[in-house]
Amino acid sequence: MRTLSTIAMLFLLCLTTVGQNQQAEVAKIRKAYTAAKADADKAAKGTDTMLGHMEVTSQHLEPGIGPKKETLHYYFRRTEDKTTGMYRYLPFLITRKYNIAARDFYEEFLYIDNDEGLNFFFQKNGDNETRYYYWSTNGGGSHKAIKGESMLDEVFALRLSSDISEAFHRLMNRDY
């Protein structure tokens, strides 16, 4: 009987430790998000030479849906490659606003360290909100908070993030 109670106590201790680690990682990402939003404001105003902002907008008529407009805002940092001496630009926050028929969507992608991939994804559609927090490469450690109905799962959010980030790099970091 003692063995069973010892195993149960160890299991509960592991769950508590995992929960505390998860809360600490989410708090770290929220703090980085607050800093990124402040840096995005500076980038949009052009008050910091190390920060930049790029807007990409597309408009077209989608069969069966009607007019579709999508706007991406890339907020990025300028870094210098020590080997080549060339500037590289790394996005730290990407926002995306688009419509599907009469429904409007808004998304945010946060990269704390761009080499590690996506750290936070947010999507809003009417009263529905989805938040995914990632703290290890390729979403190995994650937490989700969903209000209402989620339109994307964690894996698709990572894939979308990769596609949108790659588009930025193709536009801004072309090496000829």
Side-chain angles (χ1 to χ4, degrees), residues 61-104:
L61 195 57
E62 190 76 32
I65 293 175
K68 182 174 181 183
K69 181 178 180 181
E70 180 174 356
T71 303
L72 289 150
H73 289 269
Y74 291 96
Y75 300 95
F76 55 91
R77 289 185 176 82
R78 182 180 66 178
T79 62
E80 185 177 347
D81 185 326
K82 300 296 179 192
T83 307
T84 64
M86 303 280 294
Y87 288 121
R88 303 287 296 168
Y89 303 96
L90 298 174
F92 61 87
L93 181 67
I94 301 171
T95 65
R96 178 179 181 222
K97 185 176 180 180
Y98 63 99
N99 70 291
I100 297 176
R103 295 176 73 181
D104 291 324

Side-chain angles (χ1 to χ4, degrees), residues 94-163:
I94 301 171
T95 65
R96 178 179 181 222
K97 185 176 180 180
Y98 63 99
N99 70 291
I100 297 176
R103 295 176 73 181
D104 291 324
F105 291 83
Y106 176 77
E107 297 170 346
E108 293 181 339
F109 305 83
L110 172 70
Y111 307 87
I112 296 172
D113 180 359
N114 193 268
D115 294 334
E116 294 294 319
L118 182 66
N119 294 104
F120 175 69
F121 170 79
F122 171 75
Q123 182 184 62
K124 182 163 179 57
N125 158 23
D127 292 335
N128 302 313
E129 292 183 4
T130 302
R131 290 175 176 81
Y132 296 131
Y133 300 84
Y134 305 94
W135 52 85
S136 66
T137 307
N138 298 322
S142 65
H143 171 75
K144 60 184 169 184
I146 299 171
K147 176 183 158 192
E149 184 180 337
S150 177
M151 300 298 288
L152 295 177
D153 65 16
E154 294 113 318
V155 175
F156 189 74
L158 283 170
R159 187 170 148 210
L160 177 61
S161 162
S162 177
D163 292 346

Side-chain angles (χ1 to χ4, degrees), residues 17-36:
T17 303
V18 168
Q20 289 172 343
N21 289 342
Q22 193 176 63
Q23 288 176 343
E25 292 294 338
V26 168
K28 179 178 147 187
I29 292 168
R30 285 181 176 159
K31 183 177 178 181
Y33 175 81
T34 301

